[in-house]
Amino acid sequence: MESLSKNKIKLVRSLQRKKFRDEYGLFVLEGHKSVTEALNHYPELIEFLVSSDDSNMLTENHYFLAESEINEISGLSSGAQWLAVVKKPKIQSINKQHIVVIDGIQDPGNLGTIIRSCDWFGMTEIICSKDTVDCYNRKTVQATMGSIFRVKVEYVDLKRYLESYNHPIYGALMEGENIFKSEVQNKGALVFGNEGNGIREDIQKLITHPIHIPGKGNAESLNVAIAAGIVISEFSKRSML
Amino acid sequence: MESLSKNKIKLVRSLQRKKFRDEYGLFVLEGHKSVTEALNHYPELIEFLVSSDDSNMLTENHYFLAESEINEISGLSSGAQWLAVVKKPKIQSINKQHIVVIDGIQDPGNLGTIIRSCDWFGMTEIICSKDTVDCYNRKTVQATMGSIFRVKVEYVDLKRYLESYNHPIYGALMEGENIFKSEVQNKGALVFGNEGNGIREDIQKLITHPIHIPGKGNAESLNVAIAAGIVISEFSKRSML
């Protein structure tokens, strides 16, 4: 197992920035579990991998780097002993029933968790507004727990996209209909908004089916990834019956 | 508005550690919205507050500190311009129907989000194993979005606690019954386990009603805060009807 070249170190570091992830079509995957899973299931996407453990070489493109060096080039605060540089996957959406739409979510953990929930419930397509956090951000990738390889995520002009979308558009709004009692169409878009501001006004206008998750406590709102989880599970459940 | 004394700065810093939060019965709240909300609704709990904005004084115990200094004593990476030192609230649980039980959750964001979901759905009591992350950790407090003042969180010997608990004990397990089709008792404990390892074996043995959230995709599991959100919403909904 060779030591990682300076150029490759530079590449890994550059991938902390969206600009370079877009330019090279690559992103960084961290953690032993994630890296070995990717290697088992998506070997064609792995450019190279790096570990601080030099006892068993997993692939030709497996390099060695001391743990302190991996920590240094890693964008996450907690130390990763494994990382891989990976090609962005080209995913075909299988589920043609429901799509999930994200309007301006900023927290990478929230987006990653929503991608993971979509994968669990079999919704394979997410459409994001252009100002939504990048799905290849390291914290997002980490929160997806591998689902980044199975859910198609696209960034579009959301207003234009929804204006030409010909199915029901559901949106979680305070004054919406009780999600547990409302009718669920077999096709539709489920829209979730920004953490602080919710769904933007010009997108709200395009919502044909406002929905609401009824609470009986005192919190002002639910975390957006939780709200998305509940709505996605409800739609998945109903279209399963 | 006075400048913050060295002793108070030292106090704020010490509260990054659980040991001192326990010793003093205090914790730190961050962000303008959280601090002013606490001041409006729980003024008796505020020891003092600090802001970098010296234009309007909110209370007698309002001190000034430059933004760079607040950042320096703050445990969060993102800069807080407001913080308050707050007494741990003494909360009476109102909901006697369902309690939420946490077995070893480590991520402060996950615990905080679960506290927020409990508050939304009106479940006012959470029982945690002693090795669960502290609910007064700054990241946990931040994720609760104020719900830390309304949901009672206790740390106990979980095995002993559940052994003497006389109602159904629901636990999210892979081989459990479909939560959407299973009967829901009006009283019971809902147990959620650690992010990586799930519910510990000796706690699993005490579960009387194993439940499961059915998925039809490919993810290995759901994030624990999402799973908790879905289960809590399901129990809340059913006991609302």
Side-chain angles (χ1 to χ4, degrees):
Chain A
M1 185 158 55
E2 283 176 73
S3 184
L4 197 66
S5 70
K6 278 198 178 151
N7 270 345
K8 284 199 167 66
I9 291 180
K10 214 174 133 188
L11 172 65
V12 174
R13 264 211 200 99
S14 75
L15 295 175
Q16 288 189 27
R17 292 177 58 192
K18 181 177 185 304
K19 186 190 157 191
F20 294 109
R21 293 194 294 269
D22 288 349
E23 194 173 322
Y24 304 142
L26 299 171
F27 67 102
V28 173
L29 197 65
E30 279 165 315
H32 179 253
K33 198 177 171 217
S34 298
V35 170
T36 48
E37 260 180 25
L39 193 64
N40 289 332
H41 296 104
Y42 315 98
E44 71 285 3
L45 296 176
I46 310 262
E47 288 279 312
F48 60 87
L49 65 87
V50 187
S51 74
S52 62
D53 172 6
D54 56 1
S55 56
N56 62 332
M57 209 178 83
L58 295 182
T59 165
E60 254 182 42
N61 302 315
H62 186 166
Y63 299 92
F64 172 76
L65 209 60
E67 197 180 321
S68 60
E69 291 170 292
I70 296 189
N71 281 342
E72 206 204 317
I73 61 171
S74 155
L76 292 172
S77 51
S78 61
Q81 279 150 42
W82 289 76
L83 61 80
V85 169
V86 182
K87 286 190 196 82
K88 292 184 183 180
K90 299 205 191 317
I91 300 165
Q92 297 284 336
S93 176
I94 314 158
N95 180 329
K96 300 288 174 201
Q97 291 189 291
H98 298 112
I99 59 166
V100 167
V101 173
I102 304 294
D103 181 27
I105 281 183
Q106 293 307 305
D107 182 88
N110 280 341
L111 180 61
T113 304
I114 292 174
I115 294 172
R116 183 176 174 189
S117 298
C118 283
D119 190 21
W120 178 262
F121 289 109
M123 293 198 187
T124 48
E125 188 167 356
I126 300 181
I127 303 292
C128 301
S129 65
K130 292 215 162 142
D131 63 349
T132 295
V133 62
D134 184 31
C135 67
Y136 295 108
N137 173 304
R138 288 173 181 200
K139 285 187 190 170
T140 310
V141 170
Q142 205 187 36
T144 71
M145 297 291 281
S147 296
I148 191 72
F149 292 108
R150 292 181 293 269
V151 177
K152 183 179 175 183
V153 184
E154 268 190 305
Y155 290 77
V156 304
D157 177 332
L158 203 51
K159 188 159 173 277
R160 191 178 296 181
Y161 181 91
L162 290 177
E163 275 169 351
S164 63
Y165 185 80
N166 291 320
H167 305 288
I169 300 175
Y170 296 86
L173 295 173
M174 274 299 167
E175 66 281 15
E177 202 186 341
N178 182 336
I179 168 76
F180 301 123
K181 293 179 178 172
S182 60
E183 253 191 76
V184 160
Q185 305 289 323
N186 269 333
K187 244 183 148 163
L190 320 179
V191 187
F192 304 97
N194 170 271
E195 287 85 355
N197 308 316
I199 300 170
R200 245 172 296 227
E201 239 184 85
D202 58 346
I203 303 296
Q204 276 191 33
K205 283 182 193 146
L206 302 169
I207 288 171
T208 57
H209 294 61
I211 51 173
H212 177 67
I213 300 168
K216 44 185 176 182
N218 294 304
E220 200 181 282
S221 63
L222 280 169
N223 164 283
V224 65
I226 302 293
I230 293 170
V231 171
I232 292 168
S233 106
E234 194 64 21
F235 274 75
S236 161
K237 177 182 84 182
R238 306 260 201 110
S239 47
M240 211 165 8
L241 296 175
Chain B
M1 186 159 53
E2 284 176 72
S3 184
L4 197 65
S5 70
K6 278 197 177 150
N7 270 345
K8 285 200 167 65
I9 291 180
K10 214 174 133 188
L11 173 64
V12 174
R13 264 210 201 100
S14 76
L15 295 175
Q16 288 190 26
R17 292 176 58 190
K18 180 176 186 305
K19 186 189 158 191
F20 294 110
R21 293 195 294 270
D22 288 349
E23 193 174 322
Y24 305 142
L26 299 170
F27 67 102
V28 173
L29 198 64
E30 280 164 315
H32 179 253
K33 197 176 171 219
S34 298
V35 170
T36 49
E37 260 180 26
L39 194 63
N40 289 331
H41 295 104
Y42 315 97
E44 71 284 2
L45 296 177
I46 309 263
E47 288 278 313
F48 60 88
L49 65 87
V50 187
S51 75
S52 62
D53 172 6
D54 56 0
S55 56
N56 63 332
M57 209 178 83
L58 295 182
T59 166
E60 253 183 43
N61 302 315
H62 186 166
Y63 299 92
F64 173 75
L65 209 60
E67 198 179 321
S68 60
E69 291 171 291
I70 296 189
N71 282 342
E72 205 204 316
I73 61 170
S74 156
L76 292 171
S77 50
S78 61
Q81 279 150 41
W82 289 76
L83 61 80
V85 168
V86 182
K87 286 191 196 83
K88 292 184 182 179
K90 299 206 190 318
I91 300 165
Q92 296 284 336
S93 176
I94 314 158
N95 180 329
K96 301 288 175 201
Q97 291 189 290
H98 298 112
I99 59 167
V100 167
V101 173
I102 304 294
D103 181 27
I105 281 183
Q106 293 306 304
D107 182 88
N110 281 341
L111 180 62
T113 305
I114 291 173
I115 295 172
R116 183 176 174 189
S117 298
C118 282
D119 191 21
W120 178 262
F121 289 110
M123 293 198 187
T124 48
E125 187 167 357
I126 300 181
I127 303 292
C128 301
S129 65
K130 292 215 161 142
D131 63 348
T132 295
V133 62
D134 184 31
C135 68
Y136 296 107
N137 174 303
R138 289 173 180 200
K139 286 187 189 170
T140 310
V141 169
Q142 205 187 36
T144 72
M145 298 291 281
S147 296
I148 191 72
F149 293 108
R150 291 181 294 269
V151 176
K152 182 179 176 183
V153 184
E154 268 190 304
Y155 291 78
V156 304
D157 178 332
L158 202 51
K159 187 159 175 277
R160 192 179 294 181
Y161 181 92
L162 290 176
E163 276 169 350
S164 63
Y165 185 79
N166 291 319
H167 304 289
I169 300 174
Y170 296 85
L173 295 173
M174 274 298 165
E175 65 282 16
E177 202 186 342
N178 182 336
I179 168 77
F180 301 123
K181 293 179 178 172
S182 60
E183 255 191 75
V184 160
Q185 306 288 323
N186 269 333
K187 245 185 149 161
L190 320 178
V191 187
F192 304 98
N194 169 272
E195 288 86 355
N197 308 318
I199 301 171
R200 244 171 297 228
E201 239 184 86
D202 57 347
I203 302 296
Q204 276 191 33
K205 283 181 193 146
L206 301 170
I207 288 170
T208 58
H209 293 62
I211 51 173
H212 177 67
I213 300 168
K216 45 185 177 183
N218 294 304
E220 201 181 282
S221 63
L222 279 169
N223 165 283
V224 64
I226 301 294
I230 293 170
V231 171
I232 292 168
S233 105
E234 194 65 20
F235 274 76
S236 161
K237 177 183 85 183
R238 305 260 200 108
S239 46
M240 212 165 6
L241 298 174

